[in-house]
Amino acid sequence: MAETAHQSRYRVDGMDCASCASKIDTAVRRLPGVEDVNVSVSAATMTVRHRRDATLASEIERKVGGLGYKVTPMVPARGADAPLADHDRDHEH
């Protein structure tokens, strides 16, 4: 059975252009366990979809910090390690 993907969001300070976002995206995407990365320059955020791994958050923070950016985890309303939404349920949006 496949592992459920988890999602973590981060505030990224010091990122001011698409080149910065691309550099962060490439570095984080290369970390083992990372499935997808979405970096937003305008919102100064990064969303990472990943497998559950107790050390991955610190690895992400170290990698992005090493590039010269300040990265801070954002606490989601539904919990840091909550699985991504399952849209197989019958409901209206």
Side-chain angles (χ1 to χ4, degrees), residues 25-38:
D25 182 295
T26 299
V28 173
R29 193 174 293 277
R30 290 180 177 164
L31 291 172
V34 171
E35 296 176 6
D36 193 31
V37 180
N38 185 332

Side-chain angles (χ1 to χ4, degrees), residues 13-93:
D13 294 319
M15 174 176 59
D16 58 6
C17 66
S19 178
C20 295
S22 178
K23 183 170 31 172
I24 292 167
D25 182 295
T26 299
V28 173
R29 193 174 293 277
R30 290 180 177 164
L31 291 172
V34 171
E35 296 176 6
D36 193 31
V37 180
N38 185 332
V39 181
S40 172
V41 175
S42 60
T45 61
M46 172 177 63
T47 303
V48 181
R49 190 175 61 186
H50 56 88
R51 69 171 193 257
R52 178 174 282 193
D53 186 336
T55 62
L56 188 58
S58 62
E59 290 176 33
I60 290 170
E61 291 174 35
R62 187 174 333 147
K63 179 65 79 174
V64 176
L67 295 173
Y69 305 96
K70 182 180 177 194
V71 62
T72 309
M74 297 173 68
V75 180
R78 63 184 182 147
D81 289 328
L84 296 175
D86 176 5
H87 291 290
D88 290 338
R89 296 183 196 112
D90 184 29
H91 64 276
E92 293 182 34
H93 285 275

